[in-house]
Amino acid sequence: MELKPCSGLFSTVKDIYGADIEFYVPDIEVITASGHWDLPIPADWVDFDVLWSPDSKFVALTGNLNGYIESVRVFQITESGPVSIDVAKMPFADMIRRFPPCRAAHADPTVCAASHDDKDFNFAAIAWTGTHTLVLMSEVPCTSLWGGIMCQVMGYEVDPPGGNIVETMTARDFQRKWQHEIAWSFHIPEPPEWQN
């Protein structure tokens, strides 16, 4: 199996002031003995990384639309083509349980009340461990809208295709185990601040 960059396309989104921003989004094609398929990359991603699982049965894409909001897409490569898998659903539920947005000190009430899926937090695929267990980093976005939980980080090992959590890591454990796979110097966030 292989990935092949294709021609790509130009996409347009609005910036915070309503102006059009045009950028190039490459296409990626998965090539196997049984066929060729384009991987659906979100049209607003301006940058992304690709990680194959060691058994070549899964591929993880981590991308962003602005350099500080990350999301992850995982595909199982089957004989009939790539199948999308939601690997962030259970880690997001765990993050919400550990860092409830509406209990955070100084959180924007409209943001905390609207937190309901993994698109609200940052997720990045860091590495594969074992045959097909994916290491994810999850982060509450580093913006004051999240108040006392901003920048909180957890690490997860997740098994696709079910998306079950195999291991949960605190930020300190995640740094100790996976800093060698990260291209930046990971820092431990300050403890969360809660409402009185």
Side-chain angles (χ1 to χ4, degrees):
M1 292 185 207
E2 63 178 298
L3 289 180
K4 177 183 173 186
C6 299
S7 59
L9 53 94
F10 282 93
S11 184
T12 305
V13 296
K14 301 273 186 198
D15 69 11
I16 61 172
Y17 304 105
D20 287 341
I21 300 173
E22 188 174 72
F23 55 90
Y24 180 76
V25 179
D27 291 331
I28 296 182
E29 184 178 26
V30 176
I31 301 171
T32 72
S34 57
H36 298 221
W37 300 275
D38 289 336
L39 283 182
I41 298 170
D44 55 1
W45 279 11
V46 296
D47 186 26
F48 62 91
D49 295 317
V50 179
L51 283 176
W52 272 112
S53 66
D55 63 4
S56 297
K57 293 182 178 176
F58 300 89
V59 63
L61 307 176
T62 299
N64 65 73
L65 55 90
N66 54 20
Y68 62 88
I69 297 176
E70 299 281 344
S71 58
V72 66
R73 303 285 183 273
V74 175
F75 298 91
Q76 182 175 12
I77 309 304
T78 70
E79 288 190 8
S80 56
V83 176
S84 181
I85 300 168
D86 187 356
V87 295
K89 182 177 181 177
M90 291 184 191
F92 174 75
D94 185 71
M95 287 287 285
I96 288 290
R97 183 181 59 78
R98 290 173 189 271
F99 308 109
C102 293
R103 285 194 47 231
H106 315 296
D108 182 312
T110 58
V111 170
C112 84
S115 303
H116 61 278
D117 67 31
D118 57 69
K119 294 175 191 66
D120 295 323
F121 286 4
N122 294 325
F123 284 92
I126 302 302
W128 292 93
T129 181
T131 307
H132 57 261
T133 298
L134 181 61
V135 177
L136 291 177
M137 184 182 97
S138 176
E139 178 189 55
V140 179
C142 286
T143 170
S144 60
L145 294 173
W146 296 96
I149 62 168
M150 63 185 276
C151 305
Q152 294 302 309
V153 173
M154 292 290 294
Y156 298 92
E157 290 185 14
V158 180
D159 260 349
N164 296 320
I165 296 172
V166 175
E167 184 178 347
T168 302
M169 293 165 274
T170 65
R172 191 169 307 282
D173 291 338
F174 177 77
Q175 180 189 49
R176 180 178 48 79
K177 288 183 75 171
W178 295 105
Q179 174 63 73
H180 67 281
E181 292 286 348
I182 302 173
W184 67 93
S185 181
F186 179 82
H187 75 280
I188 307 295
E190 294 292 323
E193 296 178 25
W194 304 109
Q195 296 173 13
N196 293 330

